[in-house]
Amino acid sequence: MAAVDAAKVLPKLKSDVATLNQISENEKSGFINLVSRYLSGEAQQVDWSKIQTPTDKVVVPYDSLAPVPEDAAQTKKLLDKLVVLKLNGGLGTTMGCTGPKSVIEVRNGLTFLDLIVIQIETLNAKYGCSVPLLLMNSFNTHDDTAKIIEKYAKSNIEIHTFNQSQYPRLVKEDFTPLPCKGNTGKDAWYPPGHGDVFSSLKNSGKLDALLAKGKEYVFMANSDNLGAVVDLKILSHLIANKNEYCMEVTPKTLADVKGGTLISYEGRVQLLEIAQVPDEHVNEFKSIEKFKIFNTNNLWINLQAIKRLVEADALKMEIIPNPKEVNGVNVLQLETAAGAAIRFFDHAIGINVPRSRFLPVKATSDLLLVQSDLYTLSDGFVTRNLARTNPENPSIELGPEFKKVADFLKRFKTIPSIIELDSLKVTGDVWFGAGVTLKGKVTITAKPGEKIEIPDGYVIAGKNITGAGDIK
């Protein structure tokens, strides 16, 4: 909570925000609403003693879902109720790319967006249905995305775009909007997290238009999660059981200890994020014994319920304060997450899905996995190679030389075979030839000023390479 007097700050903030002509009235009121809630100090932490582990009724095992009947007409009827929405507000900057992250090439020259479009085209062609694709952009990705989607004009899929809100960053010291301090650049603004999707869907007019077409559910996911594909078993279950909200969760591994988890709390299902955990319980939160599942951010939500809750201004998700520095000025941006909305919906559930539905590409180490022989690509779907017997993916750590996509691609003549790899750690100036095979635990460390080149066709099995002399 900020040590700021709300009674003094809010009137001035309202008059400052009123002068910001770059944003709509809806954005202005949404922003003021968010700051007011933050300043009122709504409790963000939970009472640890009230947390209960959800039962199988609340977090349903995927294997217990009823099989979908093999009836094409029934399937078409089911799919005609569905909309797919991808969160497309992020830039590819962390991977050294300009423009939306969704246009990074993932495999065979196809981008995230290409794969998403091909998947939905395949569904629409197979069942004669019309599942539309919605992209929620931010002001950072809107212009580029508008140009990029022109190439899909001839596809059998309706693509709609809308923007999430644009809010001003706040100067931490006195809660003045940064644009009012003379900063007219893009960095004076921010998109307030994907929790904003509900009001943005409504304010853009897209929600009412979809309801008018008979659409009932939206399947929402991050555009960089290659595992987030339409699942008929899940859709069928939600419609049959009138679940207004479903969050796909999957078992935690040690790599996921910070991910939000689902709990039962005061009779409702709720997302618990690490930021809400009292300090003395953080280690318990991270343990994979007590909290066994985490949120994949694959969400299925009833459109009518979104309309009802947005109109009632009932979606008051936990506020995530995100401090930043812009040109030496300490600023605050307040955000919310879509997953935190679960507690406001009726008959909300989690479904404990296979790990294959969570395949995010956050770094070039993930790109190595999905471009390798560990996966195959067909009809836009990236599927794991059955030749790998270990259910877990290898852990991959690449040094800063590999951080940018362009550098990563330069350093691999072709992507190595990693079907039998357990772990790979690469440090320093390392270059890979074509047709390299990596097995077991592999460490390659080039000392400062040295270069290691792995020759074409070379096999490294359970080896620690620290110099050119180790390659025989």
Side-chain angles (χ1 to χ4, degrees):
M1 229 312 282
V4 172
D5 182 349
K8 283 185 185 156
V9 165
L10 278 174
K12 181 178 182 307
L13 184 66
K14 282 179 185 167
S15 60
D16 282 346
V17 169
T19 67
L20 299 174
N21 301 326
Q22 302 93 321
I23 57 174
S24 68
E25 292 307 314
N26 280 330
E27 286 168 316
K28 290 176 186 177
S29 60
F31 177 66
I32 295 292
N33 195 343
L34 191 62
V35 178
S36 310
R37 278 179 53 217
Y38 175 68
L39 292 174
S40 72
E42 283 180 20
Q44 302 292 314
Q45 286 197 338
V46 290
D47 178 343
W48 202 255
S49 62
K50 290 182 179 173
I51 290 177
Q52 290 177 310
T53 304
T55 63
D56 281 1
K57 271 198 175 120
V58 178
V59 176
V60 181
Y62 182 82
D63 292 342
S64 74
L65 301 181
V68 176
E70 290 288 311
D71 180 341
Q74 280 298 98
T75 303
K76 174 184 173 352
K77 207 172 144 187
L78 204 57
L79 285 169
D80 277 335
K81 298 178 176 183
L82 184 68
V83 179
V84 173
L85 190 158
K86 298 290 178 174
L87 302 169
N88 189 47
L91 293 165
T93 37
T94 49
M95 291 166 77
C97 297
T98 53
K101 186 176 178 187
S102 57
V103 299
I104 292 175
E105 286 187 7
V106 182
R107 205 177 159 119
N108 303 12
L110 298 169
T111 66
F112 289 106
L113 211 46
D114 292 337
L115 295 177
I116 291 162
V117 169
I118 295 165
Q119 287 165 17
I120 301 176
E121 275 186 324
T122 304
L123 268 183
N124 285 346
K126 186 174 177 183
Y127 296 106
C129 53
S130 58
V131 175
L133 171 64
L134 262 76
L135 299 172
M136 180 168 84
N137 301 323
S138 65
F139 61 88
N140 288 317
T141 60
H142 174 262
D143 293 349
D144 287 338
T145 303
K147 288 192 199 91
I148 290 154
I149 60 173
E150 286 173 9
K151 73 172 180 178
Y152 308 122
K154 292 191 171 67
S155 66
N156 66 350
I157 161 177
E158 261 186 57
I159 302 178
H160 302 269
T161 63
F162 66 101
N163 269 13
Q164 71 181 111
S165 302
Q166 173 174 340
Y167 286 174
R169 286 176 161 155
L170 283 172
V171 177
K172 215 169 175 182
E173 185 183 50
D174 59 3
F175 269 59
T176 304
L178 193 54
C180 299
K181 295 267 190 175
N183 182 331
T184 53
K186 260 190 177 177
D187 56 5
W189 304 89
Y190 76 100
H194 44 61
D196 183 59
V197 64
F198 307 109
S199 53
S200 294
L201 249 184
K202 175 81 180 67
N203 293 339
S204 66
K206 299 292 179 195
L207 182 59
D208 288 331
L210 293 165
L211 285 166
K213 284 187 173 174
K215 304 297 177 189
E216 292 179 25
Y217 275 85
V218 59
F219 170 43
M220 183 189 303
N222 298 353
S223 62
D224 66 4
N225 178 7
L226 295 171
V229 299
V230 170
D231 187 294
L232 291 166
K233 269 168 68 166
I234 295 177
L235 180 59
S236 183
H237 180 89
L238 302 181
I239 290 172
N241 293 279
K242 298 187 166 52
N243 302 111
E244 287 188 347
Y245 188 114
C246 164
M247 174 186 288
E248 292 185 39
V249 293
T250 197
K252 252 190 203 182
T253 66
L254 291 170
D256 317 303
V257 291
K258 289 183 175 171
T261 192
L262 281 184
I263 55 172
S264 288
Y265 192 79
E266 297 182 330
R268 288 185 90 83
V269 60
Q270 190 165 324
L271 180 68
L272 177 66
E273 297 272 19
I274 195 161
Q276 297 162 268
V277 176
D279 289 350
E280 65 273 22
H281 294 291
V282 166
N283 284 343
E284 200 181 335
F285 175 82
K286 286 182 175 178
S287 91
I288 52 182
E289 274 72 50
K290 178 163 183 178
F291 299 104
K292 294 184 167 71
I293 52 172
F294 76 98
N295 169 24
T296 63
N297 218 39
N298 298 351
L299 309 172
W300 301 73
I301 311 173
N302 180 281
L303 293 169
Q304 202 66 57
I306 294 175
K307 182 177 164 75
R308 181 186 80 234
L309 291 167
V310 171
E311 287 178 350
D313 193 23
L315 294 173
K316 299 193 186 305
M317 283 88 84
E318 289 76 16
I319 295 170
I320 307 152
N322 189 352
K324 299 256 179 187
E325 196 180 294
V326 177
N327 304 328
V329 180
N330 287 327
V331 297
L332 190 62
Q333 50 189 60
L334 304 177
E335 303 173 10
T336 61
I342 189 167
R343 63 192 174 98
F344 300 105
F345 288 82
D346 293 335
H347 312 296
I349 58 167
I351 292 182
N352 195 345
V353 298
R355 182 76 186 202
S356 57
R357 293 190 58 74
F358 184 66
L359 185 58
V361 178
K362 300 289 180 197
T364 50
S365 51
D366 300 320
L367 216 44
L368 176 58
L369 287 175
V370 299
Q371 291 187 351
S372 75
D373 55 356
L374 199 53
Y375 287 91
T376 55
L377 179 67
S378 140
D379 290 339
F381 298 95
V382 176
T383 344
R384 205 151 176 273
N385 190 334
L386 296 173
R388 180 167 175 94
T389 47
N390 182 344
E392 292 205 3
N393 277 345
S395 81
I396 293 180
E397 272 183 73
L398 302 174
E401 295 80 3
F402 292 81
K403 189 179 179 191
K404 293 182 172 176
V405 176
D407 295 337
F408 162 85
L409 293 172
K410 254 191 275 182
R411 288 177 177 271
F412 289 100
K413 238 191 228 176
T414 64
I415 299 292
S417 167
I418 59 171
I419 294 234
E420 295 176 53
L421 179 69
D422 294 324
S423 66
L424 170 67
K425 185 171 185 183
V426 181
T427 314
D429 189 10
V430 179
W431 299 75
F432 291 80
V436 172
T437 302
L438 306 174
K439 299 179 180 186
K441 289 188 172 172
V442 176
T443 314
I444 307 171
T445 313
K447 297 182 183 81
E450 277 187 26
K451 179 179 185 177
I452 295 179
E453 296 187 65
I454 311 294
D456 292 357
Y458 197 72
V459 177
I460 308 176
K463 207 168 166 191
N464 184 1
I465 293 175
T466 56
D470 293 333
I471 299 167
K472 296 184 175 58

